[in-house]
Amino acid sequence: MIGTVALDGERMSRLVTDDELGRELARRAQNPADPVGAVNRIPFSEPDHPISLQVMYAENPPFPLDPEHPAAGNRWGYVNMGYGVRKHPRVEDGVRFDDDELDYRALPNMTIEYALTDSEDEEIEFATGMLRRAGNALGTFVADPRLLPNGSSLHYMGTMRMGEADDDTSVADPYSRVWGYENLVVGGNGLIPTANTMNPTLTSVALAVRGARQAVEDLTHASA
Ligand SMILES: Cc1cc2nc3c(=O)[nH]c(=O)nc-3n(C[C@H](O)[C@H](O)[C@H](O)COP(=O)(O)OP(=O)(O)OC[C@H]3O[C@@H](n4cnc5c(N)ncnc54)[C@H](O)[C@@H]3O)c2cc1C
């Protein structure tokens, strides 16, 4: 979920003087290539906040704002706010390869199976309410909260999920070893079997380290 808010000058001036703002804008102007001034987060926490908020402050909105818009050129700047909402993995969600339909390199074409269910819809509704509340506390929305289309995440996960048992609901065991093979170990976000709301890379790294340690142990025993 994302939305953009023009900060409210009256509320902001209770916290920051006009001189302080002027100094900060002058400091920021020394590095105009950096479009984002600050990033803050409210992390995921269950059960009260099962979503993860990222707030990015910038002098300009992340899209061209009509110069006639009442919030255009807002001296106090804008915040682009995004709530990361979970996608709960399901066995039905995955990548299907089709031997009868080849891609441009003559490899089996892939189709992504992916659908939102009631549990995601409920959390999306909750996140929308929270985003509206947070945005209204800071100023006026110049882009209303909206849900990005399926597939526009930067965090693709769970395409070769790890699982506890070789029961056709997972691809690899908890140490990244592909079920049914002695010598095939996989790594990356595809292994993550659970839902998360933000930044998966450290989780992947932790899983890879665990798998690598197990591989060292397996190879040590195999060669002993
Ligand atoms: C703009 C952007 C911002 C992001 N910001 C964050 C962030 O702040 N924090 C965070 O945690 N995550 C972030 N991510 C996500 C992060 O990039 C991924 O979580 C991470 O890179 C996933 O690692 P991976 O090893 O699973 O896949 P990848 O990093 O995609 O690695 C897969 C590799 O496999 C190679 N490959 C593919 N096919 C083949 C083939 N047939 N043969 C050989 N090699 C092949 C690819 O070239 C690639 O190098 C961001 C992603 C984007 C796009």
Side-chain angles (χ1 to χ4, degrees):
M1 300 287 318
I2 59 166
T4 305
V5 170
L7 289 174
D8 181 79
E10 196 194 311
R11 271 175 265 174
M12 290 302 295
S13 55
R14 285 183 224 145
L15 306 167
V16 179
T17 67
D18 205 58
D19 281 353
E20 284 170 328
L21 174 64
R23 278 200 296 278
E24 175 62 8
L25 290 175
R27 188 188 70 79
R28 293 268 303 139
Q30 291 169 6
N31 186 14
D34 181 359
V36 178
V39 181
N40 284 298
R41 290 209 164 90
I42 301 177
F44 175 94
S45 143
E46 206 158 24
D48 297 331
H49 198 263
I51 43 183
S52 160
L53 174 63
Q54 181 167 289
V55 183
M56 291 186 287
Y57 170 79
E59 289 89 341
N60 300 300
F63 52 85
L65 189 60
D66 182 346
E68 302 298 318
H69 191 286
N74 184 32
R75 180 166 148 77
W76 288 90
Y78 304 83
V79 287
N80 201 29
M81 314 173 72
Y83 261 118
V85 183
R86 283 182 286 197
K87 168 70 179 94
H88 298 271
R90 306 175 307 153
V91 174
E92 298 90 321
D93 294 328
V95 181
R96 186 168 47 76
F97 292 94
D98 191 342
D99 288 327
D100 298 328
E101 189 191 322
L102 303 183
D103 70 10
Y104 71 102
R105 287 181 299 191
L107 294 170
N109 210 359
M110 67 177 211
T111 305
I112 295 172
E113 313 278 1
Y114 181 91
L116 302 183
T117 65
D118 289 349
S119 55
E120 282 87 30
D121 287 340
E122 270 169 36
E123 290 186 4
I124 288 165
E125 200 181 318
F126 178 68
T128 311
M130 295 292 272
L131 190 52
R132 264 188 209 292
R133 193 174 136 206
N136 287 331
L138 293 170
T140 314
F141 277 98
V142 293
D144 268 341
R146 64 197 185 283
L147 182 66
L148 295 177
N150 287 350
S152 44
S153 168
L154 302 174
H155 300 158
Y156 302 103
M157 288 175 278
T159 45
M160 46 180 187
R161 290 188 277 278
M162 48 172 55
E164 291 292 337
D166 183 7
D167 59 3
D168 284 342
T169 64
S170 59
V171 168
D173 76 4
Y175 296 96
S176 309
R177 298 172 294 202
V178 174
W179 297 117
Y181 291 84
E182 291 291 318
N183 57 352
L184 182 57
V185 179
V186 283
N189 284 358
L191 283 165
I192 298 175
T194 47
N196 68 16
T197 57
M198 196 149 286
N199 296 354
T201 310
L202 275 180
T203 304
S204 284
V205 171
L207 295 177
V209 168
R210 186 169 70 163
R213 285 186 180 143
Q214 185 64 40
V216 168
E217 208 165 290
D218 292 348
L219 290 168
T220 308
H221 285 306
S223 60

